[in-house]
Amino acid sequence: MVLNWIDQAPRRVLALISVACVAMLAFGMYLQHVVGLEPCPMCIVQRYALIGIAIFTGLASARGQRGWWMTFALLAVLTAGFGAFVAARQSWLQWYPPEVATCGRDFYGMIENYPISRAIPMIFRGSGDCTAIDWTFLGGSIANWSFICFVGFGLVLLLLVVRALKVGNRGGSGYSMA
């Protein structure tokens, strides 16, 4: 049933992923501005990955040309993979915190005061902020749930592209972009 829906309405699937990313970003803003949780550098990088996926899937769903939406869907797959990597790294830091965890600079402080070649390793090294678990749902931290969402988005997008390629290779006209 799900595969039929993906085959019949890929633009709707892409639009749904875009809306889901925007909803996740809105929830992150709620946690930050209403609940009072401060995002760590890795959380901010994950937000940028969500923004990237939302933009790519939104653009992919905007036009019905097969090459257009497949290109943006592939970019969204890569962005989802990057987001999953960052979320997995943060989850690892939460499960196995380093012996010495310091609350280093915030994300923007790193970017403003260091060259990008030095700031990126600092972000992925994590800080005391990145190891803290301030909020949980069903036993999982925000990083754990982000990882699950990124992997889910990536798998659905990859399935969408692979199935479109199979249809195209069989000599079909491609998906009907409903």
Side-chain angles (χ1 to χ4, degrees), residues 150-168:
F150 281 123
V151 169
F153 294 151
L155 289 175
V156 169
L157 289 164
L158 195 59
L159 180 68
L160 184 72
V161 170
V162 167
R163 290 183 70 86
L165 286 173
K166 284 184 180 180
V167 169

Side-chain angles (χ1 to χ4, degrees), residues 23-34:
M24 288 177 65
L25 287 165
F27 184 66
M29 293 292 119
Y30 166 79
L31 288 176
Q32 180 177 354
H33 296 290
V34 176

Side-chain angles (χ1 to χ4, degrees), residues 9-21 54 57-58 60-62:
R11 285 176 65 188
R12 289 182 187 151
V13 173
L14 291 164
L16 182 65
I17 291 172
S18 184
V19 169
C21 288
T57 55
S61 70

Side-chain angles (χ1 to χ4, degrees), residues 25 49 57 65 94 119 129 152 175:
L25 287 165
T57 55
Q65 296 170 335
Q94 289 174 348
D129 304 290
Y175 278 139

Side-chain angles (χ1 to χ4, degrees), residues 74-154:
L74 282 171
L75 289 171
V77 168
L78 293 173
T79 307
F82 174 72
F85 169 77
V86 175
R89 176 69 179 142
Q90 184 177 4
S91 293
W92 178 265
L93 288 171
Q94 289 174 348
W95 292 331
Y96 305 104
E99 300 261 336
V100 179
T102 62
C103 293
R105 293 181 180 267
D106 66 338
F107 179 78
Y108 298 107
M110 287 183 211
I111 298 297
E112 288 174 359
N113 294 318
Y114 295 102
I116 197 77
S117 61
R118 190 162 168 215
I120 289 177
M122 290 171 66
I123 292 168
F124 289 107
R125 201 172 306 124
S127 65
D129 304 290
C130 295
T131 61
I133 300 174
D134 298 326
W135 182 89
T136 62
F137 178 71
L138 297 175
S141 69
I142 297 171
N144 303 146
W145 286 107
S146 293
F147 175 77
I148 290 169
C149 290
F150 281 123
V151 169
F153 294 151

